[in-house]
């Protein structure tokens, strides 16, 4: 037999039908939509901008939205694989070279699907690697994941619009109905039914979520074999970056350490002993990492507002938080005034009644409600009122 590229008609499985593609695709589309919206929340929470106001309540808001972001992305992985398998023969459909109008339309449709598949695979792959904290690439993860997210959602909208009649018909008829099948699709002979495949797709999505969501849902910890961070770590809260990795051990334990509070040319310096002698308050707040894990902690420390009052911070002024960390993107963060002024926002010195461990940010760290974990700066050494 001569070797030739496959043709659409070579694929005869009764499972590769619009009836399956539409059912798996609808849930996949919902996952993509949810993932996109929660991704926007995460992106905009990290880069404050004038038209996206980040509230300080509910305290668990970011924990919920980022948990949903990672869960919907995880669910999308098996759904996308099964969806691609069911529509794969279309890749080999004949090109209507002789009919210009159809040629243009087919070309546009294929181009939009090409963008959708490439962007979707890129988003799920980079997102998945991100949850394992593995960044095997040179580009800036967040900026790229954000930009490609728009591509994915834009091409998804085009795809849904083009396929709407087929999707509607598929949902209106029985999943085993052959009315929409390609002419060469065989009638079911043996093996799994279409209903069986659709149910398997939904179940695999659910299993993928349950197997990983333990990093953020304590009840699932025991069954979450892929939960990357599951409640371990000193003081019951996982560690994202250790003091050693951040190269702050010597600086954070040095006898010369002092916390600097700065407002213009006014500076107050506090030794560790002076800091822990200040009136202390308790906040029960989660750390919710963008990488998908989250954990609740009971934090004690000095209210950010009280500290900044010591240098006369005017109402409405934001605060720049600087870490001892010599390099890295999270050594300085901006704390918007609504967070500075919130009763729950602390410069924490204690976690669960014990002095903060070195890895959790000793001698002191920021903990504020409804903020991405990356902005909960550890090993703080300077708080500046932003002019
Ligand atoms: N200075 C500094 N603070 C930091 C980080 C960092 O790399 N450097 N990582 C942040 C991230 S990504 C998270 S999720 C939280 C985790 O806090 P934990 O390690 O105490 O759980 O700390 C944040 N604070
Ligand atoms: Mo994080």
């Amino acid at each position: 037999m001569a070797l030739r590229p496959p043709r659409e008609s070579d694929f005869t499985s009764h499972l590769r039908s619009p009836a399956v593609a539409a059912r798996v695709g609808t849930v996949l589309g919902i996952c993509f939509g949810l993932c996109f919206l929660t991704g926007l929340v995460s992106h905009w929470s990290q880069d404050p901008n004038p038209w996206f106001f980040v509230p300080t309540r509910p305290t668990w808001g970011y924990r919920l939205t980022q948990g949903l972001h990672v869960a919907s992305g995880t669910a999308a992985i098996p759904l996308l694989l099964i969806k691609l398998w069911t529509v794969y023969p279309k890749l080999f459909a004949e090109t209507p070279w002789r009919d210009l109008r159809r040629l243009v339309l087919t070309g546009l449709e294929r181009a939009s699907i090409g963008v959708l598949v490439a962007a979707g695979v890129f988003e799920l792959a980079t997102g998945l690697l991100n949850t394992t904290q593995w960044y095997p690439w040179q580009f800036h993860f967040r900026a790229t994941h954000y930009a490609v997210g728009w591509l994915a959602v834009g091409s998804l909208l085009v795809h849904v619009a083009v396929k709407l009649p087929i999707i509607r018909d598929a949902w209106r008829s029985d999943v085993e109905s052959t009315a929409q099948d390609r002419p060469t699709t065989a009638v079911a002979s043996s093996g799994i039914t279409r209903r069986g495949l659709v149910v398997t797709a939904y179940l695999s999505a659910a299993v993928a979520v349950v197997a990983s969501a333990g990093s953020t849902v304590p009840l699932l910890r025991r069954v979450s074999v892929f939960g990357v961070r599951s409640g371990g770590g000193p003081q019951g809260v996982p560690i994202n970056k250790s003091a050693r990795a951040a190269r702050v051990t010597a600086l954070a334990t040095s006898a010369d350490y002092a916390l600097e509070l700065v407002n213009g040319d006014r500076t107050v310096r506090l030794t560790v002993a002076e800091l822990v002698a200040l009136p202390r308050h308790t906040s029960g707040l989660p750390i919710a990492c963008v990488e998908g894990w989250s954990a609740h902690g009971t934090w004690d420390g000095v209210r950010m507002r009280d500290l900044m009052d010591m240098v006369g911070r005017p109402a409405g002024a934001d605060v720049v938080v600087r870490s001892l960390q010599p390099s890295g993107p999270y050594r300085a963060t901006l704390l918007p005034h609504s967070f500075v002024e919130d009763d729950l926002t602390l410069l924490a010195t204690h976690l669960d009644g014990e002095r903060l461990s070195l890895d959790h940010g000793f001698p002191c760290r920021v903990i504020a409600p409804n903020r991405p974990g990356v902005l909960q700066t550890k090993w703080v050494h300077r708080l500046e009122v932003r002019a």
Side-chain angles (χ1 to χ4, degrees), residues 8 13 85 87 174 189 208 340 377:
E8 194 183 8
S13 165
W85 181 83
V87 297
D174 187 81
S189 47
V340 178
T377 312

Side-chain angles (χ1 to χ4, degrees), residues 240 289-291 293 373-374:
N240 188 274
C289 183
V290 296
E291 285 153 351
W293 60 266
V374 283

